[in-house]
Amino acid sequence: MLELITPTYNLHLEFLDLVAEYQQAGEFRMFDQNNLTLIQEDFSTYIQYLENNSQGINLKPGFVPATNFWLVMNSKIILGESQLRHWLVPTLEHRGGHIGYMIRPLQRSKGYGTTILAMTLEKAKNMGLSRVLLTCDQDNLASARIIQKNQGKLTSEGLWENSDKVISRYWIDL
Ligand SMILES: CC(C)(COP(=O)(O)OP(=O)(O)OC[C@H]1O[C@@H](n2cnc3c(N)ncnc32)[C@H](O)[C@@H]1OP(=O)(O)O)[C@@H](O)C(=O)NCCC(=O)NCCS
């Protein structure tokens, strides 16, 4: 059974396992160092930090309220995470959009990326949004495919800051 839940203290050991999996896969940038320390040493504060982000409490300057979700199988395996930003600001319009997602390395290519976006779109609709912006690097073919399979319509492409990375932007009507 798959569910999209808000983060819970009860899955601390499972979350540590997920973090270790990213690290073993060489994907060190998924969590910044401050969060890593909290995840390992003070998980209840990490959960509270996510809850605060969702409620717009103690946000970093320029950040908007954002709700994190975990895609969980059978109430015990965390397959991936998504984040729903409650509204856009110019930086998110350029790159980031309303929703970001990731699937843990050993669970990829099984359709879960497509599922986590579909389930997060439901959450966005329930929150009252009527359409959402998704962005991805043009060369992130799996992510582009996920967005297209969720009825994303490509509306613009442009360079990321001073780099040669092209970002694709899609809108999805809810
Ligand atoms: C992008 C990511 C979420 C994909 O998750 P996933 O669970 O592997 O995705 P799915 O299994 O649902 O696959 C989606 C589609 O992409 C395709 N795909 C998967 N990997 C691919 C690859 N390396 N190249 C091209 N297409 C790929 C799949 O075949 C599938 O298309 P299909 O249904 O037409 O066959 C995952 O790789 C990830 O977490 N990456 C790191 C974080 C990230 O890039 N997030 C997105 C930021 S915009």
Side-chain angles (χ1 to χ4, degrees):
M1 182 189 59
L2 290 181
E3 290 171 287
L4 195 68
I5 66 167
T6 49
T8 164
Y9 183 81
N10 299 341
L11 290 175
H12 185 195
L13 290 181
E14 169 63 7
F15 200 75
L16 287 176
D17 195 57
L18 171 145
V19 170
E21 192 171 305
Y22 280 111
Q23 291 178 329
Q24 277 155 21
E27 298 184 18
F28 295 101
R29 295 181 61 206
M30 290 299 181
F31 303 94
D32 71 28
Q33 190 52 51
N34 288 344
N35 285 343
L36 265 185
T37 305
L38 278 184
I39 289 164
Q40 278 153 357
E41 295 173 12
D42 190 359
F43 198 59
S44 58
T45 299
Y46 179 67
I47 296 292
Q48 186 61 52
Y49 158 77
L50 296 178
E51 176 66 29
N52 286 350
N53 270 348
S54 183
Q55 295 187 11
I57 299 168
N58 294 335
L59 296 178
K60 292 182 210 158
F63 279 62
V64 301
T67 306
N68 280 47
F69 297 102
W70 292 348
L71 181 64
V72 175
M73 181 192 272
N74 298 335
S75 307
K76 57 180 185 201
I77 301 168
I78 305 173
L79 300 169
E81 277 197 282
S82 65
Q83 187 182 64
L84 171 59
R85 271 77 78 164
H86 297 195
W87 63 81
L88 297 176
V89 288
T91 47
L92 288 174
E93 277 169 21
H94 185 61
R95 189 176 196 249
H98 283 98
I99 296 173
Y101 44 83
M102 54 201 200
I103 296 296
R104 64 193 293 175
L106 296 181
Q107 297 290 347
R108 291 181 187 162
S109 298
K110 299 178 184 179
Y112 295 133
T114 308
T115 301
I116 201 170
L117 178 56
M119 292 174 90
T120 309
L121 291 173
E122 273 304 306
K123 300 282 185 188
K125 192 173 177 179
N126 293 342
M127 216 179 74
L129 295 177
S130 57
R131 62 181 201 143
V132 289
L133 178 69
L134 274 290
T135 76
C136 77
D137 292 351
Q138 192 187 45
D139 60 7
N140 191 340
L141 300 179
S143 189
R145 185 83 190 108
I146 286 170
I147 297 169
Q148 287 153 11
K149 286 174 74 180
N150 278 283
Q151 278 67 57
K153 294 188 183 63
L154 183 65
T155 47
S156 75
E157 295 195 304
L159 288 176
W160 165 236
E161 289 179 346
N162 297 323
S163 74
D164 57 1
K165 272 252 169 247
V166 177
I167 304 160
S168 305
R169 301 185 192 86
Y170 300 80
W171 282 96
I172 299 179
D173 291 323
L174 301 175

